[in-house]
Amino acid sequence: MGNKVSAETPVTPAAPAVEVDKNPGSMEDLHKKCKDVFPMAFEGYKFLVNKGLSQHFQVSHTLTLSNTAPSGYRFGATYVGASRVISPQEAYPILLGDIDMAGNLQAHIIDAPTKNIRCKMIAQIQQSKWQGCQLTADYKGADYTANLTLANPDLISGTGVGVLQYLQTVTSNISLGAELVYQSSPQLPGGHIAALSLAGRYSGPDYCLASTLSNSGAIHASFWQKCSEDLQVGTEIEANLKMAETVGSLAYQVEIPRAGLVFRGALDSNWNVKGVLEKKLLPLPLTLSLCGLLNHPKQSFQMGAGLIMG
């Protein structure tokens, strides 16, 4: 006789299904994983202090001494509200701004009216004059993202730049998208110009291959690979067929968490060599940054040192 299951036998409840986010992100982040591997080198000395005044408000002080970039003091402030909490990592509105001793100001306002819509405004003031404004709106669907950006729009004179982007998840590994850029200005031949770009990305758990092709002859391709927990590599090619110019770059990132050490290095086809070393000076809340930039054909060398507190 077969074994009978008792009616009192407890039934193990099925584990809840893990919801997979199929949103591909925005076109701006298409090459982000590769870009994050490349070092951000600077020349001279930099001292940065970040101070949190409350749970929502933070200020920063930056002192820079350089021969190639404007030197001086900059003050920055960041406010993160809690009126609209989308996720533990997303809370809105967000207000960011920084200003230097000459009165040059750059401000950002980011908000999320709904769960799917993100709005951003960027304003710049230089030499006490209004320099420019940029308005951006993102709509994030279940498996796509649509983006509209307007830069320096002037409805009276009919000038400005408009950018329309769309990125769609096709499969779990493939995303395809397009970008349309339209610019209107009296300085342009015919008064306006437009460019169309097609983009694609093939990604996996530890790699990402992305490419962008424009009808203006611009090509941008990148590849990112996570080789181990401590090593990441990235390579990219940027070409302009009309100008007959091509630049290839290779970068890597080595991270040693136990030592609080991160090193990023890069080499491009113009023989520019970059390296940035970041070391956390535990138990102090300090991070030491050392970087170097060497150009072999020009026989020039630049070095930078920075200290970040907070």
Side-chain angles (χ1 to χ4, degrees):
M1 296 178 63
N3 296 330
K4 295 184 179 180
V5 179
S6 173
E8 298 180 355
T9 302
V11 178
T12 304
V18 179
E19 184 177 354
V20 179
D21 186 9
K22 296 182 180 180
N23 185 274
S26 63
M27 287 276 289
E28 294 180 354
D29 298 334
L30 199 67
H31 305 276
K32 186 178 186 300
K33 287 189 176 181
C34 180
K35 288 289 187 182
D36 289 343
V37 178
F38 282 76
M40 299 295 294
F42 59 91
E43 187 271 338
Y45 301 94
K46 181 183 294 184
F47 182 64
L48 174 62
V49 178
N50 294 316
K51 176 65 175 178
L53 302 181
S54 68
Q55 184 179 1
H56 304 285
F57 192 65
Q58 175 181 301
V59 297
S60 65
H61 308 271
T62 306
L63 181 62
T64 304
L65 300 174
S66 174
N67 292 324
T68 59
S71 302
Y73 167 78
R74 297 188 69 91
F75 172 78
T78 302
Y79 172 79
V80 180
S83 58
R84 283 178 289 276
V85 179
I86 306 300
S87 68
Q89 293 79 26
E90 282 188 281
Y92 298 93
I94 302 176
L95 308 178
L96 304 96
D98 65 270
I99 187 172
D100 61 13
M101 299 297 292
N104 298 322
L105 172 68
Q106 181 168 328
H108 299 245
I109 301 177
I110 307 172
D111 200 0
T114 67
K115 183 178 180 181
N116 301 97
I117 299 176
R118 306 289 187 276
C119 298
K120 179 170 64 174
M121 184 185 76
I122 303 175
Q124 291 182 334
I125 297 177
Q126 293 184 357
Q127 304 299 326
S128 301
K129 296 182 180 180
W130 182 266
Q131 186 69 19
C133 177
Q134 179 175 307
L135 305 174
T136 303
D138 296 334
Y139 184 86
K140 295 185 176 181
D143 57 356
Y144 68 92
T145 298
N147 172 281
L148 176 63
T149 301
L150 299 177
N152 298 328
D154 190 342
L155 300 180
I156 298 177
S157 60
T159 61
V161 179
V163 181
L164 180 61
Q165 299 174 333
Y166 182 84
L167 189 61
Q168 172 76 52
T169 297
V170 180
T171 68
S172 59
N173 302 102
I174 300 176
S175 299
L176 299 177
E179 176 187 70
L180 177 63
V181 180
Y182 175 82
Q183 182 179 2
S184 176
S185 175
Q187 287 78 23
L188 295 173
H192 57 86
I193 189 174
L196 177 65
S197 301
L198 301 178
R201 178 178 62 199
Y202 186 86
S203 59
D206 56 358
Y207 64 89
C208 179
L209 174 64
S211 179
T212 305
L213 175 62
S214 173
N215 63 348
S216 63
I219 301 174
H220 186 190
S222 67
F223 177 75
W224 168 82
Q225 173 77 55
K226 186 174 182 180
C227 304
S228 66
E229 292 297 326
D230 303 327
L231 177 62
Q232 301 179 48
V233 297
T235 181
E236 67 175 359
I237 296 177
E238 295 182 89
N240 191 318
L241 302 181
K242 291 185 178 180
M243 301 294 295
E245 295 178 352
T246 303
V247 178
S249 305
L250 175 65
Y252 66 94
Q253 173 182 309
V254 178
E255 185 174 1
I256 307 177
R258 292 173 295 178
L261 183 69
V262 178
F263 180 81
R264 296 181 178 92
L267 169 67
D268 64 25
S269 57
N270 292 326
W271 297 106
N272 291 309
V273 182
K274 298 179 183 180
V276 176
L277 173 67
E278 295 180 356
K279 176 69 170 69
K280 294 183 178 180
L281 305 179
L282 299 176
L284 300 175
L286 297 174
T287 300
L288 177 64
S289 179
L290 300 174
C291 62
L293 172 60
L294 175 64
N295 186 293
H296 286 279
K298 297 181 180 180
Q299 296 183 354
S300 65
F301 176 74
Q302 297 176 355
M303 187 174 180
L307 190 63
I308 303 172
M309 178 182 297

